[in-house]
Amino acid sequence: MIAVLLLPNNFLGFQKIAVFVRSCSSSVCENASEKKTFIVSYLINSCGLSSNDAVSASKKLCHVKSPEKPDAVLKLLREYGFTCAHIHRIITGCPEVLLSCPNKTLLPKLEFLRSIGVPHPALTQKLSLCPFILLRSLENSLIPLYNGLKSLLGSDEKVVHVFTRSPRTFGRFWSPGFNSNISSLRERGVPESTIVTLVMRQPQFLVLATEKLAAHVDRAVAMGFDVSKSAFVHAIHVFVCLTESTLRRKMEVYTRCGWSESEVVTAFLKRPICMKLSKEKITATLDFLVDKLGYEPAAIAQCPMILDLSLEKRIKPRCLVVGILNDKGLKKMNSGTMFLLLSEELFLKRYVVKYEKDIPGLLDIYRGM
């Protein structure tokens, strides 16, 4: 049996359409490929990106058809003092900047930040680290944040301090959230002076969800922190920066080193930042003070700022000198640790210079010579 293949009457028409579609599809692919190749090449040659960074950045620049606008952006940045390293960081972190209109979008923001007193070196450095600030609206974001901060802090200098300390705040600012957070603090009895301190030291709290900030404040108050004291500000900082699981792990480190849970709480109330120390730092310092020198864990918990001190550069050298004085009967070494907290000038005067005639070379011993 011979099979007969029946073709539709318009078969030749279908063939022409198929050829046309394939031709168009091939043309689109070739154009897309050429465009991608152009963008990647431009990012490498004009912006100094590596091949991998250029390929990654090119995904956000698929609409770039010519070098005209990117060239204008780079020209403005260079004229404003951004170095090649700055530009590299800006384009790597936020490629969309190359799509901005230099004179209408970028220049007004640069001039505004300079007008409020941001020093030129800080401007280029901070914007290269947080380039997404350049994508925020001047009228709807940067100016409202400036106005809010100026009203609260009282001077351009303090606003500039916030910018240099936490430029990300300027990049993530949300006006209703700013106002809600300030209002929430006031409603909870936090005095204006503490709010100012909190903004100056930890400006990132301004962009927290209001519910989270309120929960952190309520927790600190419940633990016994006085909202008018600096320790309250540090406690909020710790709650913002550390997750609940991280806080639990840090508490476990202290308890494994001999502290009771109440002593951990006591130390935290006195020095909240002790929870930000690394496990290695906590363990090494407590091992030395408790196991080698015989201090009681409870005594250190009452003076947790000791844990901030450098073990190798401060604690060990001072303990060595005091130990020598104790062995020579020149100065009795008691259970106190205040000598560790003295300024360098006072320690040298009271523990080194005073006894150099009795112990020649004591200063060299202290300095590790």
Side-chain angles (χ1 to χ4, degrees):
M1 179 181 294
I2 299 175
V4 178
L5 179 61
L6 299 177
L7 299 177
N9 293 332
N10 59 347
F11 175 67
L12 293 177
F14 285 151
Q15 283 184 311
K16 292 179 181 178
I17 292 174
V19 170
F20 175 76
V21 169
R22 284 197 300 272
S23 175
C24 288
S25 177
S26 175
S27 176
V28 169
C29 290
E30 287 175 4
N31 289 338
S33 178
E34 289 176 5
K35 186 186 295 185
K36 183 177 180 181
T37 301
F38 157 70
I39 296 171
V40 170
S41 178
Y42 183 87
L43 292 171
I44 293 172
N45 297 323
S46 299
C47 304
L49 271 63
S50 67
S51 297
N52 289 338
D53 287 341
V55 170
S56 177
S58 69
K59 297 174 183 177
K60 298 181 180 181
L61 299 172
C62 56
H63 298 301
V64 175
K65 297 179 180 179
S66 74
E68 184 178 355
K69 182 176 283 188
D71 278 349
V73 170
L74 296 179
K75 182 175 183 291
L76 172 64
L77 293 177
R78 288 172 182 137
E79 289 176 348
Y80 225 82
F82 288 85
T83 65
C84 292
H86 290 147
I87 292 172
H88 178 276
R89 284 199 294 267
I90 289 172
I91 306 307
T92 301
C94 192
E96 298 93 327
V97 169
L98 289 175
L99 302 176
S100 303
C101 179
N103 293 325
K104 292 183 179 180
T105 304
L106 298 182
L107 185 58
K109 294 169 190 174
L110 295 172
E111 291 181 336
F112 171 73
L113 291 171
R114 289 289 288 134
S115 73
I116 66 173
V118 178
H120 190 270
L123 180 72
T124 54
Q125 180 196 22
K126 300 303 179 180
L127 288 179
S128 68
L129 293 174
C130 301
F132 43 86
I133 295 173
L134 294 170
L135 300 183
R136 299 309 304 268
S137 168
L138 178 60
E139 292 75 17
N140 300 325
S141 182
L142 298 184
I143 291 178
L145 175 57
Y146 164 76
N147 289 335
L149 288 173
K150 177 72 177 288
S151 175
L152 177 69
L153 303 178
S155 71
D156 283 350
E157 290 78 10
K158 291 182 178 180
V159 176
V160 170
H161 172 85
V162 171
F163 173 80
T164 55
R165 188 175 182 89
S166 180
R168 289 182 181 275
T169 301
F170 280 69
R172 297 169 57 196
F173 174 71
W174 178 54
S175 184
F178 172 90
N179 295 326
S180 295
N181 285 348
I182 299 299
S183 297
S184 178
L185 290 171
R186 289 170 175 157
E187 290 167 2
R188 284 164 169 75
V190 180
E192 208 72 7
S193 59
T194 300
I195 295 175
V196 170
T197 301
L198 188 57
V199 173
M200 292 289 286
R201 292 185 180 178
Q202 314 297 339
Q204 61 268 33
F205 97 89
L206 291 171
V207 294
L208 276 181
T210 303
E211 297 77 14
K212 284 188 177 181
L213 176 62
H216 293 324
V217 172
D218 291 343
R219 181 180 184 182
V221 171
M223 289 185 70
F225 284 98
D226 184 340
V227 295
S228 67
K229 304 295 184 183
S230 61
F232 168 79
V233 174
H234 294 307
I236 299 300
H237 172 65
V238 170
F239 291 147
V240 169
C241 294
L242 302 183
T243 64
E244 193 62 35
S245 60
T246 301
L247 274 173
R248 282 197 299 270
R249 286 197 298 271
K250 291 296 176 70
M251 292 185 70
E252 289 169 0
V253 172
Y254 282 110
T255 55
R256 285 198 298 270
C257 290
W259 287 11
S260 66
E261 288 188 10
S262 63
E263 287 167 347
V264 175
V265 173
T266 296
F268 183 66
L269 288 170
K270 288 177 176 288
R271 189 74 171 174
I273 301 300
C274 70
M275 288 298 172
K276 291 197 70 180
L277 299 174
S278 70
K279 172 186 173 182
E280 293 74 21
K281 166 66 173 165
I282 296 168
T283 303
T285 303
L286 287 176
D287 281 351
F288 178 76
L289 292 173
V290 175
D291 297 339
K292 294 187 178 180
L293 297 186
Y295 282 98
E296 290 294 328
I300 302 170
Q302 290 294 329
C303 193
M305 57 283 297
I306 290 173
L307 297 171
D308 295 348
L309 305 176
S310 169
L311 180 59
E312 299 299 328
K313 295 180 180 179
R314 184 154 181 165
I315 296 177
K316 286 184 177 181
R318 291 194 178 189
C319 286
L320 175 62
V321 167
V322 173
I324 291 172
L325 296 178
N326 181 71
D327 292 341
K328 297 289 185 179
L330 297 172
K331 195 172 184 68
K332 186 177 180 181
M333 185 176 181
N334 53 38
S335 59
T337 56
M338 289 307 297
F339 69 91
L340 293 173
L341 301 176
L342 292 175
S343 68
E344 185 69 3
E345 181 183 357
L346 275 179
F347 181 80
L348 287 171
K349 180 180 178 181
R350 295 180 185 180
Y351 290 85
V352 179
V353 176
K354 184 178 179 179
Y355 298 102
E356 274 196 297
K357 291 181 180 179
D358 301 292
I359 308 175
L362 186 58
L363 180 59
D364 291 338
I365 293 173
Y366 176 59
R367 290 178 173 170
M369 295 180 179

